[in-house]
Amino acid sequence: MSIAHPIEGYEDTHLVNAFEGVKLLVTSGFQKFQHSKIRQLGVEGAFEDIYYDDPGNPPRKGKAFYFDIIAKKYNTAPSEVWVIGDSEESEISAGNSLGMKTVQILRPGVKKSPKAQFHVSSLQEFLSLVQMS
């Protein structure tokens, strides 16, 4: 399954293209579908690399596995890596387990997690947070 037509994400999705620095994406789901979604959102070119935790390619490794690979590949201390996501169980827990900065983006329907170090309601807020740090 894949998406063959442009789709709209959240109203601030386009800001991913404007962020400076190295941006990497770790996503869970079937790679073909996830890749088509990223492409159709118009953000594929924003990322230096994209990592897929694909249930169709067992064994699943989990996001902490990929976050650790990223920190090593880019020779970056975990404390210098920003992990942004909405899931406490996925991105937030994985980033915390490695000592990374965790930011929960509170999209509609997302329950605020006390485990995230920071909380934002938009990518614009995230951009401001990074610039202040």
Side-chain angles (χ1 to χ4, degrees), residues 6 13 21-22 26 32 46 52 59-60 62 76 88 98 103 109 116 118 130 132-133:
T13 298
V22 175
V26 177
K32 182 178 178 182
Y52 300 91
R60 302 263 322 251
T76 303
E88 176 182 313
L98 297 168
V103 182
F118 304 95
V130 171
M132 290 185 331
S133 295

Coordinates of all heavy atoms in Angstrom, one line a residue, residues 6 13 21-22 26 32 46 52 59-60 62 76 88 98 103 109 116 118 130 132-133:
P6 N -0.7 14.0 -3.3 CA -0.2 14.9 -2.2 C -1.3 14.9 -1.1 O -2.5 14.8 -1.3 CB -0.2 16.3 -2.9 CG 0.0 16.0 -4.3 CD -0.7 14.7 -4.6
T13 N 3.4 21.4 9.3 CA 4.3 20.4 8.7 C 5.4 20.9 7.9 O 6.5 20.5 7.9 CB 3.5 19.3 8.0 OG1 2.5 18.7 8.9 CG2 4.3 18.3 7.4
G21 N 20.2 22.6 10.5 CA 20.9 21.5 11.2 C 20.6 20.2 10.5 O 19.8 20.1 9.6
V22 N 21.1 19.2 11.0 CA 20.9 17.8 10.5 C 19.6 17.3 11.1 O 19.4 17.3 12.3 CB 22.1 16.9 10.9 CG1 21.7 15.4 10.5 CG2 23.4 17.3 10.3
V26 N 13.0 9.0 12.2 CA 12.8 7.6 12.6 C 11.3 7.3 12.7 O 10.6 8.0 13.4 CB 13.5 7.2 13.9 CG1 13.2 5.8 14.3 CG2 15.0 7.5 13.9
K32 N 7.2 1.0 2.7 CA 6.7 1.5 1.4 C 5.6 2.6 1.7 O 5.6 3.6 1.1 CB 6.1 0.4 0.6 CG 5.6 0.9 -0.8 CD 5.1 -0.3 -1.6 CE 4.5 0.2 -2.9 NZ 4.0 -0.9 -3.7
A46 N 13.7 17.2 3.4 CA 14.2 17.9 4.6 C 15.1 17.0 5.5 O 15.9 17.6 6.3 CB 13.0 18.3 5.5
Y52 N 13.4 3.3 9.1 CA 12.1 2.7 9.2 C 12.2 1.5 10.1 O 13.0 0.6 9.9 CB 11.7 2.2 7.8 CG 11.5 3.3 6.8 CD1 12.6 3.7 6.0 CD2 10.4 4.1 6.6 CE1 12.5 4.7 5.0 CE2 10.3 5.1 5.7 CZ 11.3 5.4 4.9 OH 11.2 6.4 4.0
P59 N 13.5 -8.9 12.9 CA 12.8 -8.5 14.1 C 12.8 -7.0 14.2 O 13.7 -6.3 13.8 CB 13.7 -9.1 15.2 CG 15.1 -9.1 14.6 CD 14.8 -9.4 13.1
R60 N 11.7 -6.5 14.8 CA 11.6 -5.0 15.0 C 12.7 -4.6 16.0 O 12.9 -5.3 17.0 CB 10.2 -4.7 15.6 CG 9.1 -5.1 14.7 CD 8.5 -4.1 13.8 NE 8.3 -2.7 14.2 CZ 7.1 -2.1 14.4 NH1 6.0 -2.8 14.5 NH2 7.1 -0.8 14.6
G62 N 12.9 -1.2 17.4 CA 12.5 -0.2 18.2 C 13.3 1.1 18.0 O 14.4 1.1 17.4
T76 N 27.7 12.4 17.8 CA 27.1 13.4 18.6 C 26.7 12.8 20.0 O 26.2 11.7 20.1 CB 25.7 13.8 17.9 OG1 26.1 14.3 16.6 CG2 25.1 14.9 18.7
E88 N 4.6 8.7 24.2 CA 5.4 8.5 25.4 C 6.1 7.1 25.3 O 7.2 7.0 25.6 CB 4.5 8.5 26.6 CG 5.2 8.1 27.9 CD 4.2 8.1 29.1 OE1 3.4 9.1 29.3 OE2 4.3 7.2 29.9
L98 N 18.3 6.9 26.4 CA 19.6 7.1 25.8 C 20.2 8.4 26.3 O 21.3 8.8 26.0 CB 19.6 7.1 24.3 CG 19.2 5.8 23.7 CD1 18.9 5.9 22.2 CD2 20.3 4.7 23.9
V103 N 11.1 15.9 23.5 CA 10.1 16.9 23.4 C 8.8 16.2 22.9 O 8.8 15.6 21.8 CB 10.5 18.0 22.3 CG1 9.5 19.0 22.2 CG2 11.9 18.6 22.7
G109 N -5.6 15.2 20.7 CA -5.8 13.8 21.1 C -4.6 13.2 21.8 O -4.7 12.1 22.2
A116 N 8.3 13.4 29.2 CA 9.0 14.2 28.3 C 9.6 15.4 29.0 O 9.0 15.9 30.0 CB 8.0 14.8 27.2
F118 N 10.3 18.3 27.6 CA 9.7 19.5 27.1 C 8.4 19.2 26.5 O 8.2 18.0 26.0 CB 10.6 20.2 26.1 CG 12.0 20.6 26.6 CD1 13.1 19.7 26.4 CD2 12.2 21.7 27.3 CE1 14.3 20.0 26.9 CE2 13.5 22.1 27.8 CZ 14.5 21.2 27.6
V130 N 14.4 25.2 20.5 CA 15.8 24.9 20.1 C 16.6 26.1 20.0 O 17.8 26.1 20.4 CB 15.7 24.1 18.8 CG1 17.1 24.0 18.2 CG2 15.1 22.8 18.9
M132 N 16.4 28.8 21.8 CA 16.6 29.3 23.1 C 17.7 28.5 23.8 O 18.3 29.0 24.8 CB 15.3 29.4 23.9 CG 14.4 30.4 23.5 SD 12.9 30.6 24.5 CE 12.6 29.1 25.2
S133 N 17.9 27.3 23.4 CA 18.8 26.4 24.1 C 20.3 26.6 23.6 O 20.6 27.0 22.6 CB 18.4 24.9 23.8 OG 17.2 24.7 24.4

